[in-house]
Amino acid sequence: MMTMPFSDSLRAHPVASSSPYLPQTLAHANEQNQTNLPSLATSSCAAATAAEKQDTPALTIRNLSKLFESHVAVAQVNLDIPVGAFYGIVGPNGAGKTTMLSMATGLMLPDMGQVFIHGIDLWNSPKQAKNLLGVLPDGVDTFDRLTGNELITYAGILRGLDKTTARRRAADLMRALDLADASKKMISEYSAGLTKKINLACALVHSPRILVLDEPFESVDPISAGTIIEILQKYCSDGGTIVLSSHVMATVEKLCTHVAIMDRGIIKACGTLSEVAGGRSLEDRFIELVGGMKHAEGLEWLAPSAQ
């Protein structure tokens, strides 16, 4: 996948704000977003159960923030994702999910905050941290002049596998994801769904300890989605940790053990699925925290009878 290498994207340790106005802007954003927040002083899900506190979280996020000019995309997010969790991140369009995950995986520099991968500081030890991550970003271009088999092999070699192991794993993943027939085709000839599966294979090839998947089922047919779900559930049961961003509440409710609801750059609620849902469906809880559907008005001209 054509993503910026950790060594290039993580040149500084951005604990302090890069803008003198950032703390005040973030404080204002949090004030504006306090409605419906659970009992959290900031955009935080750093609290853990007693059992989870005994172990270092798989992914630790502290005060992670990103500002685009005057727009606060992510506002001092704190999140602890326990080892072995299938953690869903949900929110409306523009909530800051992709920006937060891009920063949490080193694809984007934050304006403020820290990220730890199994206790390893992502900014201070990027090479050590990146070996533990498998990332499926949303909307990132790939090397489409390679075949599918070549791309997965290349991804494995970049992650430190020897060529023989990378080729063997590429073949295994092509078979598992039902891509064998497309293995020798250029990725430029792939459909959106096939490209998504190839990029997932690239995230899996080095057997990472954490998978961060942004909309992994988008453009994927139901049969392929079922295969991917089976692979991910097995990965999680074997001790891996998955962070999944999705707009589809039913998918998150079906797959995830934990969930965080994000809106306007802050975490509105987080914890185990049952804790966040509170005895209701996740969709109902989501609507309560984020706001109900807005009714379209002023489109009376759209009715054919109006012509």
Side-chain angles (χ1 to χ4, degrees):
M1 291 172 284
M2 291 180 65
T3 56
M4 185 182 298
F6 277 74
S7 57
D8 292 335
S9 62
L10 306 179
R11 296 187 181 278
H13 186 58
V15 176
S17 165
S18 61
S19 165
Y21 305 106
L22 183 63
Q24 298 96 313
T25 308
L26 293 174
H28 177 70
N30 276 324
E31 286 176 10
Q32 296 296 312
N33 287 295
Q34 285 300 313
T35 305
N36 292 328
L37 267 174
S39 55
L40 301 170
T42 61
S43 177
S44 173
C45 192
T49 65
E52 291 169 357
K53 286 181 180 178
Q54 295 175 4
D55 300 314
T56 300
L59 178 62
T60 303
I61 295 172
R62 290 292 177 269
N63 296 317
L64 202 60
S65 305
K66 188 67 179 180
L67 208 63
F68 294 106
E69 296 183 351
S70 61
H71 173 66
V72 180
V74 178
Q76 292 180 294
V77 164
N78 292 285
L79 201 62
D80 282 345
I81 296 179
V83 175
F86 204 135
Y87 210 113
I89 309 291
V90 299
N93 292 326
K97 303 183 300 298
T98 294
T99 301
M100 180 186 73
L101 293 180
S102 294
M103 292 188 291
T105 55
L107 298 177
M108 180 186 294
L109 279 171
D111 292 315
M112 186 170 69
Q114 292 175 282
V115 175
F116 299 90
I117 309 298
H118 282 280
I120 301 168
D121 191 315
L122 181 59
W123 319 114
N124 279 338
S125 304
K127 289 185 179 180
Q128 190 178 358
K130 77 173 183 179
N131 286 332
L132 305 180
L133 286 170
V135 183
L136 174 63
D138 186 39
V140 175
D141 291 336
T142 190
F143 295 107
D144 61 2
R145 302 308 297 172
L146 297 177
T147 67
N149 192 64
E150 287 171 342
L151 181 63
I152 302 171
T153 301
Y154 180 53
I157 292 171
L158 285 178
R159 292 295 196 165
L161 300 179
D162 62 81
K163 187 179 291 186
T164 300
T165 301
R167 284 176 172 170
R168 185 179 68 250
R169 291 187 181 184
D172 291 342
L173 287 164
M174 294 290 282
R175 284 193 299 271
L177 291 167
D178 195 24
L179 291 166
D181 291 342
S183 63
K184 295 182 180 180
K185 291 182 180 179
M186 292 286 187
I187 292 170
S188 59
E189 301 175 32
Y190 282 18
S191 67
L194 289 178
T195 302
K196 179 75 74 169
K197 290 198 288 183
I198 279 291
N199 286 336
L200 175 61
C202 290
L204 291 167
V205 68
H206 62 295
S207 187
R209 293 180 66 183
I210 304 174
L211 277 175
V212 180
L213 311 175
D214 198 351
E215 297 290 351
F217 301 108
E218 191 175 52
S219 304
V220 176
D221 67 83
I223 295 174
S224 295
T227 300
I228 292 171
I229 288 170
E230 183 180 355
I231 291 170
L232 297 182
Q233 288 177 328
K234 178 66 165 60
Y235 171 85
C236 233
S237 67
D238 288 342
T241 304
I242 298 175
V243 183
L244 178 148
S245 170
S246 179
H247 293 101
V248 184
M249 298 298 128
T251 299
V252 173
E253 204 159 19
K254 175 183 177 181
L255 296 179
C256 294
T257 58
H258 296 67
V259 66
I261 297 176
M262 191 172 187
D263 185 34
R264 291 177 290 181
I266 68 171
I267 302 295
K268 291 279 190 174
C270 48
T272 65
L273 187 63
S274 59
E275 288 171 347
V276 172
R280 289 166 287 173
S281 71
L282 182 60
E283 184 172 352
D284 287 343
R285 180 66 168 144
F286 178 88
I287 291 171
E288 177 189 346
L289 292 172
V290 173
M293 183 177 67
K294 293 178 175 60
H295 297 284
E297 297 179 354
L299 297 178
E300 292 79 8
W301 54 265
L302 190 58
S305 59
Q307 302 298 321

